[in-house]
Amino acid sequence: MALGGGALWEPMATLMIGGLGVSSILTLVYVPALYRVLFRSAPIQVNGATLTS
């Protein structure tokens, strides 16, 4: 039934593909960027040299 297409299955498949695409972008781009902004550590000074972690 689902492989044959139909009025119900085609829009649902489009929404599922779109949702997977959006969730992938959020997971791979937005979440790491937000983590970097929220948990940024200050640079460390050691003997006049600046170290970043």
Side-chain angles (χ1 to χ4, degrees):
M1 183 178 200
L3 296 175
L8 176 67
W9 298 108
E10 290 177 16
M12 188 180 344
T14 303
L15 287 175
M16 290 179 71
I17 291 170
L20 286 171
V22 170
S23 65
S24 296
I25 290 171
L26 286 176
T27 301
L28 295 173
V29 177
Y30 183 74
V31 172
L34 185 63
Y35 180 82
R36 172 91 181 209
V37 168
L38 291 177
F39 297 105
R40 185 180 312 177
S41 61
I44 302 167
Q45 292 284 336
V46 176
N47 295 331
T50 302
L51 303 174
T52 58
S53 56

